Amino acid sequence: MLRPLFSLVLSLLLVAGLGLPALAELGAGANPAASSAPIVLDGRRLFELWPSRTLSAQQRSDTVNERLEEAIASGGPVQLEVRQTNNLPVLSLNGRTLVTVTERDVAEGLEARDQAELWQRKLEQAIATARRERRPEHLVRMLPVALAILLAALGLHLLLRRLWQRWFPRALVPLGMEGERRDRSSRFLLRAALLLLQAGVWVAAAAAAMDLFPASRRLSAGLVAATRSWLGSPFLPLGQRSYSLQDVAVLLLLFVALTQAVGVLQSLLRKRVLRYTGMSAGGQEAVAFVARYGLLLVGTLVLLQLWGLDLTSLTLFASVLGVGVGLGLQGITKNFLSGLIIIFERPIQVGDFVEIGDLQGSVDSLGLRSTKVTTLDGVTIIVPNSEFLESRVVNWSHGSPVSRLQVPVGVAYGSDTSAVRDA
């Protein structure tokens, strides 16, 4: 129960970190011309500009950013003023037009001139801060702070490892050592979670240290912008829109979260509901099986619809997949259909003691493609489902758990038959 819950939490955290920005930009990404562009000074975003009648948002922001850099680099005085031109407030820098405030630039609840004056105050503060941070004494003063941040990150890195050793003693045991497969999976998951947390600590520390200096802050902002542009570039056209790498990654994470959530629900259904219904183990397995794959099917369709994917665009793909299944995956299809027949017809159930060929053992679990049988020696054998329908199977538990066994006993000639019978 712990492993699927932990996987579900990790998946939801990844979706929250990567998916929410993608969802927020879903509408803007479909129409780049309608999106805004930021005014950035030394890596700090000050405010956003929207497209005007003649210029795009990016063209407007590029012009403003260049003139701000020129004014700061000159070292001379900087004077920002707001004047009215053609019934629109214009923000000027040293007597030169910097930006005209349009209707789309005005925030809700403000007038155009109020917005221009608000931008004026932000720019004056940002210019003063930029000039102060570009002085050598600022570099000397911030170097110890950056070092302290990195040392704190190192301490938190070691603390996380120590806590992991205390909370999950087996998590850091090498994966190659002997142990059950489920135990190895849990250890791998816990090790991956620890690495993710430690990586997050170092990324946050690096971002905080780089934010102390203008040059590193500009570099960090450029890397973030380039990464966002790369992740947000459409490359997979489906239906009416194209999907980016970020969209695909978030969709995969959502599928992982859906799978883990369905696994948790299936486990709860088995342990909290079905075990108290009086159903046989095989009947419980059948109900849990149908519930799992039914929820997966419905959840997948809902996710695709919510993500904006037109399911009619998958018709051709489904047709090609059907041909591939019919021609190249005959064995898998046969086992899949056999698994469905076994689940619903129930010739064998979980817990039955079966004999198929030279194999004898108890049925552990029923799957879509194969069935796990544990022999009397404790060895798990994976048997394709089609073998249970195409060959003769002896089910010692079918109908009644009571069976009669004939055990021939040989004795030497001349033995006392009465003594043999008594023995």
Side-chain angles (χ1 to χ4, degrees), residues 137-147 209 212-213:
E137 51 266 27
H138 176 78
L139 176 64
V140 175
R141 188 170 62 253
M142 289 295 107
L143 278 176
V145 178
L147 182 60
L212 298 175
F213 310 100

Side-chain angles (χ1 to χ4, degrees), residues 175-192:
L175 297 177
M177 298 185 65
E178 295 296 329
E180 296 183 1
R181 184 176 62 180
R182 181 174 298 180
D183 183 56
R184 292 199 300 268
S185 301
S186 300
R187 280 186 285 154
F188 174 78
L189 186 63
L190 291 171
R191 288 166 68 95

Side-chain angles (χ1 to χ4, degrees), residues 327-396:
L327 296 178
L329 304 177
Q330 296 181 10
I332 296 178
T333 305
K334 180 172 66 174
N335 290 320
F336 174 79
L337 295 177
S338 300
L340 292 179
I341 294 173
I342 292 173
I343 288 294
F344 290 102
E345 189 177 312
R346 298 167 61 187
I348 61 172
Q349 304 179 45
V350 174
D352 286 355
F353 189 85
V354 298
E355 179 179 346
I356 175 172
D358 58 350
L359 172 67
Q360 292 181 340
S362 300
V363 177
D364 264 354
S365 64
L366 299 173
L368 280 179
R369 190 192 64 83
S370 61
T371 297
K372 295 180 181 179
V373 178
T374 301
T375 65
L376 296 176
D377 297 325
V379 179
T380 299
I381 308 296
I382 300 176
V383 184
N385 288 330
S386 59
E387 293 193 17
F388 287 98
L389 300 182
E390 296 178 352
S391 58
R392 190 176 69 175
V393 179
V394 179
N395 188 347
W396 293 96

Side-chain angles (χ1 to χ4, degrees), residues 80-364:
L80 289 164
E81 295 179 341
V82 177
R83 63 174 186 268
Q84 201 78 9
T85 303
N86 296 328
N87 295 324
L88 290 175
V90 176
L91 190 60
S92 63
L93 176 63
N94 292 336
R96 185 181 179 186
T97 299
L98 184 64
V99 62
T100 300
V101 181
T102 64
E103 294 180 0
R104 296 198 61 185
D105 297 324
V106 180
E108 186 177 356
L110 292 179
E111 298 292 338
R113 188 171 184 86
D114 296 334
Q115 183 69 73
E117 293 174 351
L118 177 61
W119 286 357
Q120 179 187 7
R121 292 191 294 271
K122 284 187 176 181
L123 288 175
E124 289 173 346
Q125 294 174 0
I127 291 173
T129 302
R131 286 189 166 178
R132 183 176 64 253
E133 291 182 346
R134 294 188 183 192
R135 296 171 182 169
E137 51 266 27
H138 176 78
L139 176 64
V140 175
R141 188 170 62 253
M142 289 295 107
L143 278 176
V145 178
L147 182 60
I149 291 175
L150 296 179
L151 290 176
L154 178 60
L156 188 55
H157 176 100
L158 298 176
L159 177 62
L160 284 172
R161 184 176 180 85
R162 181 65 61 85
L163 292 176
W164 235 246
Q165 289 175 338
R166 176 178 299 179
W167 293 342
F168 311 105
R170 294 182 55 81
L172 301 182
V173 176
L175 297 177
M177 298 185 65
E178 295 296 329
E180 296 183 1
R181 184 176 62 180
R182 181 174 298 180
D183 183 56
R184 292 199 300 268
S185 301
S186 300
R187 280 186 285 154
F188 174 78
L189 186 63
L190 291 171
R191 288 166 68 95
L194 175 60
L195 290 176
L196 285 175
L197 289 175
Q198 290 175 333
V201 167
W202 284 108
V203 169
M210 295 179 72
D211 191 60
L212 298 175
F213 310 100
S216 59
R217 194 187 307 122
R218 287 194 297 269
L219 176 62
S220 175
L223 291 175
V224 171
T227 303
R228 292 182 62 183
S229 176
W230 177 66
L231 291 175
S233 299
F235 76 100
L236 181 63
L238 284 176
Q240 300 297 321
R241 69 179 291 253
S242 294
Y243 292 84
S244 64
L245 184 62
Q246 184 180 14
D247 296 331
V248 174
V250 172
L251 196 57
L252 291 177
L253 287 174
L254 287 172
F255 281 136
V256 172
L258 172 65
T259 304
Q260 298 298 330
V262 170
V264 172
L265 290 177
Q266 184 187 28
S267 179
L268 292 175
L269 180 65
R270 283 174 174 166
K271 297 179 179 180
R272 304 296 183 185
V273 179
L274 295 178
R275 64 182 300 180
Y276 301 110
T277 60
M279 299 175 61
S280 63
Q284 296 179 23
E285 185 71 19
V287 173
F289 174 88
V290 174
R292 175 182 177 84
Y293 288 98
L295 289 174
L296 280 177
L297 177 61
V298 174
T300 300
L301 295 177
V302 170
L303 278 182
L304 293 177
Q305 290 284 358
L306 290 178
W307 200 248
L309 181 63
D310 186 7
L311 297 182
T312 58
S313 63
L314 302 179
T315 305
L316 179 60
F317 174 75
S319 302
V320 174
L321 181 62
V323 174
V325 169
L327 296 178
L329 304 177
Q330 296 181 10
I332 296 178
T333 305
K334 180 172 66 174
N335 290 320
F336 174 79
L337 295 177
S338 300
L340 292 179
I341 294 173
I342 292 173
I343 288 294
F344 290 102
E345 189 177 312
R346 298 167 61 187
I348 61 172
Q349 304 179 45
V350 174
D352 286 355
F353 189 85
V354 298
E355 179 179 346
I356 175 172
D358 58 350
L359 172 67
Q360 292 181 340
S362 300
V363 177
D364 264 354

